Structures are given as C-alpha cells and as structure tokens.
Amino acid sequence: MPAATTRAPGPHAPDQEEPAPRKLYRSADGRMLGGVARGLAGHLGLPVAWVRFVFLGLFFADGLGALLYAVFWIVVPLGVGGVETTRSVFETAPDGRRRLRKPDKGQVFALIALLVGAVVFVGNVDMGSKTDRYVWPALLIGAGSVLVWRQADNARRARWIEVGRRRRVLHLARGLAGVALVGLGLAVFLVVRGSAAQLGNALTAAVAVLTGIALLAGPYLARMMQDLSEERLMRIRAQERAEVAAHVHDSVLHTLTLIQRNADDAGEVRRLARAQERELRNWLYDPSGTGRDEDDEPTNLADAVKRAAAEVEDKHGVPLEVVVVGDCPLDEKLTAQMQAAREAMVNAAKYGGEGGAVQVYAEVEGRTVFVSVRDRGPGFDLDAVPDDRMGVRESIIGRMQRNGGTARLRSVPGGGTEVELEMERASE
Amino acid sequence: MTENTEATGGPERRVRVVLVDDHRMFRTGVQAEIGRTEETGVEVVGEAADVEQAVTVITATRPEVVLLDVHLPGGGGVEVLRRCAPMMGAVENPVRFLALSVSDAAEDVIGVIRGGARGYVTKTITGTDLVDSVFRVQDGDAVFSPRLAGFVLDAFASTDAPPVDEDLDRLTQREREVLRLIARGYAYKEIAKQLFISVKTVESHVSAVLRKLQLSNRHELTRWATARRLV
C-alpha cells in the first residue's frame, strides 16, 4: 500500500507540538473501521499499512487480530489530533470545478485484501459440519456490532463536525442495519440451538424482559439525557460569557493603560475613551456587532454612516453623534453620497469641533436618502472661500451633483455649519 | 437643548429631584454637577440604587422630578414607573420622570417612555443641558434627545400594519419635521426659528408626539423596536 504510507499521519507533528506524554487516540479521519490502526500507527510512528497488515495477520491466528481490534476499539477514545483533514468524495480541480475524487489506490488494495481474506476464511471453515451453525450467527452478530459501534463513534464525531441532513439519514440507516444484523444473528443462534418451535416462546420472553427493562430504566435514562444536554448548554453559555468578558476586559485594560500613558494629551485620552465606548456599545447592544470583522466593507447605509463617523472620530478626536432612521443597501450613488458625507464629517470635525459634538443624521424615506452633518463651530462664508480650495466645492457639492444628488450648505458665522446631502436611490 | 437656564427659570426657581441609579459613582457625579442648589436651582432630595429603594424614597420625599436609570436591579426603570403610576397621575404635585440612561438599545428607551417617563436623555449630556431638561420636565414638557427622536421616527415610519387608531398612530407632517430637526441636533429655539413657529408650539408638538408614543395602540411598537435593535 504505497499510497497509504504517504497518507500516514506523520509522527513529527505531535512530537513538535506536544512534548508531554502522548495519549493513544483512535483516528477519526481516513479510517476504515474504528480508526484503531491509524491511531496506533500515528502513536507508534509507523506507516498505517504495517499496522493493518499485523492486524490482518493476527486475524488468521484464530481470530486474535479481530479480538485485539475490538478491545482497542472499545477502550481507546476517539481523537482528532495528529491526523490530516477529512477528504471529501469530491475534490476541487485547479480550474475551480468540482469533480469526483479518483479512488484511492491504497483503499482499493485494502478492499481486495479483505475480500481475499474473507474468501480464504470461508474456504477454511467446513461449511457442512456442525460448527457451522455457530460460525454464521457469530459472523452476523459481529458485523452488526461493528456497524453499531462505528455509528456510536460517528455520533460522537458529530460534535466536532456538523453533519449534513443527507448524511444523517445514511447514519440512521447504518445503525438500523447493524441492529437488524445483530438481531438476525441472535435469532439464528436460537433457531439453530433449540428448535424452530421454541422460537415463539423465546421471542415472547425476550420482548417481555426488554419491555421491563425499558419501563424501569427508561425515565431514568431520559432524565439523564435531559440533564446532560442542559449541562452542555450551560457550559457553552458560560464559555461564551467568558469569551466576551475576556475580550472586554482585555480591551478595557489596554485602553486604560494607554490613557495612563497619554494622561497629558487630553485629545488622545478623549479619542481613546470614545473608541472604547463605541466598541463596548457594539458588544453590549448590537448583537450583529459582536462577531463582525472590522475589515469588512459595510454593505448597507446605516453601517456605512456609523463606520465613517467612527473613523473620523478616531482620527480627529471630536465626538460625532450618529442618528440613523431606516436603512437600505448601498448602491453606487449612495456610495458617492457616503464619500461626500465623510468629507463633510471631516470638515465639521476639523473646523467646527470646538463647539461640541458633531451631529450626523441619516434618513431613508422611500427612495430618498438624506444625510445631514452639523457642527456648532464658528461657521464660514462659502462665497468667501477662494476658488482654489476644492474641499467643499469638489468633494461635497461637485460629487453629489455628478451622481444626480443635491448638496446644500448652510453656514452662519458664529452659528455653526450644516451640510445637507440628498440622493435618490438607484432603481432596482 | 442648549437654552441657558435663565430662559427657563434660573436659580430663582427651585426643583426637588430624586436620583435613581445603581452606580454610586454616577450618582455622585450628577449630584456634583447639578446639585449646587445656589447656582442651578436643583435640589437633590434623595437617592436610590434599586427598585425597592426608589419606590420608598420617591413616596417619602414626593419630588417634582425623578432622574431614572433604565437598567436597575429589581426590574429596571419600567418597574419603578409601574409602581409609581398613582403619583405620576396625581393632580396635586405630580411626580415626573426623566429617563437618564447609558443604554443605546431602542427597546430600553421606548420601554420607559411608554411606561410614562416624560423624556429620555443619554448620560453623555452636559450638566447645563441636564438642568435645563429637568426644568422642562417639571413644566410638564417632553424632553427628546436626538437619539430618542431617531428611535421614534423609525418606529412610526416603517410599520406595515395599518394603524388601529389613525389619530394616535400617525405623526403629523409638522411633528415629523420637528422630530427630524431634534434628531439633527437642533435646540427648540433653533427649531422654532427654522419652521417660523414659536418655542411654545415646538413644545406642544413634542408633547403631542410623546402622548402618541405613550398611548399608541400599536402593541408591536416595542416588539418591533426590539426585533430591529435599532441604534
């Protein structure tokens, strides 16, 4: 199995990462039955094919291999460390299309080996003799148990990997098949050992015993399951809370340290405090704000306005109070409006920031998007601004007009400045 | 809200105030900022840190204005409002509530307003503006911060359900204009100038909006705001 050797979990990985005594785990990935061979191979640092051959060889020594394998399967826990990721049936071609993965040479070889082994085994067993009546039921029960055990493993695995609906149906079918096989094997045992006439009695007794056990243990088991899932939920919640607390405490500590270091610089202290306040607000009051990546480009108006205001606030150290009414997705025209609004915010923060917080108001009403940026600074006379100063004329008024919107600028010397931007949304 | 105190009263007027907030440091800060009775005319007659204390202190001191935090141990500001409802509705010396919160969440804010508070201001408000707001609430007027105006506009603008009571569930054009200017950061005086109406008219518009907000039949108002989590 040359192909299999290349896929064997490299012993170097756990060696480097955890010098602590390694624990033996069964491998959940790339396994054929219970993952015992792969787990052992990873643990011992041997090619997985060798381990499999040893098991196969021991199997012929009166089935010792199978017994050993079963014991390992039951005792050794399933692990995920030290093995490569699951391979899907499909693989992604270099050109981006998905295609059926080519069958693995090693697996095909293993399958053939198994078949040959089975044929040899069947040939060795004297089909006609009396022992036969024990061999077949035992095989059936064995196969059924293997299926059910493998199923239990998968259920445990589902905690790590979300299983799709289709695969869940498959799992259920496999579990049922396992149970059916075990049942069939037991039935054959009964029939072969006793006579067919006693089957009815035996079955009735079995059903009665099972019902009794279910009645006695059922409620207790159900309660245990409930407690278990409840406990799991609590643990997840606690973990989430701990994560939030850790994040918040961390950033608060960070900010406090920075504030101590910049205690003389009032502007910097204010900027830090505002940035921290904004972040905390996002965590506390905005559920979507918790996991949001700061690098993501905003896709709707409300986010864009808040983002622009936050950036201007951080850069110029002037608080901006943002009120947004309604929301809509950003289109090309609105993006231009946002750029103009941002320019207006920068101007307001730069020239009007002494008069207190800058008020930013955005409203979506039907197809019209209105943004107003207002400061309480000294104000200025637009006509007195020389023609070569492009800030207001080009970045705000010009940009709005080029995109089919309007910009109004109202400034009273001594009474602050207000920029009003109005834009129709692009038709959908 | 930048009218100076002389316009609405000044030190010759007195108002008795109770502070309800579970953060002692914040109470101390507010006390230091507005509690200098000689200068501001505000006299802090009591403090409380939870719902039980608040009800006891308010009943005992019968203040004119209560500065009420939204988040409180024991049921929050809404619970205080519920239990003080008889005192709010009293004909003689009614107790009026002004919500003062750090919260940004619409459902908190709209919750206390619907519970009967006469207004809502954020804790970032300056001392002067707070004193001004307290006097305005004492007069029976409503106090809307830009943020609250934004919440209300949003809540009344975008419900698809047909209003149960046309008169209550719709804002008039004028009320919308006034709210929008508040949301843009205009003071009442500036709004009056902008719309060519008197300050008194602005106040009556704002009070009308507050009444509609408190009496509106739309049960979905709070639920809607909660679902949207508008900030």
Side-chain angles (χ1 to χ4, degrees), chain A residues 348 351-356 374-380 412-417:
Chain A
Y351 305 116
E354 285 82 41
R374 177 188 157 87
D375 68 61
R376 295 181 172 280
F380 68 98
V412 185
T417 307

Side-chain angles (χ1 to χ4, degrees), chain A residues 281 285 287 306 322-326 359 361 363 365 370 372 374 376 410 418 420, chain B residues 102-105 146-147 150 153-154 176 180 183-187 190 194 229 231:
Chain A
R281 277 185 193 287
Y285 303 121
K306 283 178 205 156
V322 184
V323 175
V324 182
V325 175
Q359 303 275 350
Y361 174 73
E363 182 180 8
E365 197 186 25
F370 173 84
S372 121
R374 177 188 157 87
R376 295 181 172 280
R410 205 175 27 235
E418 176 157 26
E420 296 178 353
Chain B
V102 77
S103 167
D104 255 348
R147 201 161 215 114
L153 276 174
D154 218 343
R176 281 190 66 82
R180 199 174 284 148
R184 282 160 68 172
Y186 281 67
E190 294 168 315
Q194 181 93 11
R229 279 270 194 160
V231 178

Side-chain angles (χ1 to χ4, degrees), chain A residues 297-318:
Chain A
E297 277 298 306
T299 53
N300 54 0
L301 184 89
D303 280 348
V305 172
K306 283 178 205 156
R307 175 77 62 86
E311 283 168 11
V312 172
E313 194 172 277
D314 278 351
K315 196 156 171 224
H316 298 278
V318 173

Side-chain angles (χ1 to χ4, degrees), chain B residues 103-177:
Chain B
S103 167
D104 255 348
E107 74 263 31
D108 289 344
V109 176
I110 293 199
V112 284
I113 295 295
R114 281 177 75 89
R118 302 293 301 171
Y120 154 80
V121 290
T122 43
K123 285 184 176 174
T124 51
I125 192 170
T126 63
T128 335
D129 285 347
L130 185 56
V131 169
D132 190 48
S133 304
V134 168
F135 278 113
R136 187 171 289 153
V137 166
Q138 187 197 16
D139 287 342
D141 288 334
V143 173
F144 278 53
S145 64
R147 201 161 215 114
L148 178 57
F151 290 156
V152 175
L153 276 174
D154 218 343
F156 275 88
S158 44
T159 28
D160 300 326
V164 184
D165 185 339
E166 290 278 335
D167 287 341
L168 279 178
D169 290 346
R170 210 165 265 168
L171 299 180
T172 65
Q173 194 55 38
R174 214 34 159 188
E175 286 162 0
R176 281 190 66 82
E177 276 174 85

Side-chain angles (χ1 to χ4, degrees), chain B residues 17-93:
Chain B
V17 172
V18 163
L19 287 178
V20 181
D21 196 298
D22 53 332
H23 291 100
R24 200 175 52 79
M25 247 170 71
F26 184 76
R27 291 203 306 270
T28 315
V30 173
Q31 165 83 282
E33 206 155 343
I34 69 169
R36 299 178 310 265
T37 319
E38 297 313 311
E39 288 169 51
T40 59
V42 175
E43 190 189 344
V44 178
V45 293
E47 290 183 17
D50 60 35
V51 171
E52 285 302 323
Q53 266 183 41
V55 175
T56 316
V57 170
I58 293 167
T59 315
T61 57
R62 277 308 276 249
E64 281 138 329
V65 176
V66 177
L67 283 178
L68 181 67
D69 190 14
V70 176
H71 291 289
L72 275 182
V78 177
E79 180 64 16
V80 177
L81 287 165
R82 201 180 59 76
R83 288 170 59 178
C84 292
M87 286 184 269
M88 270 195 279
V91 187
E92 292 272 310
N93 310 322

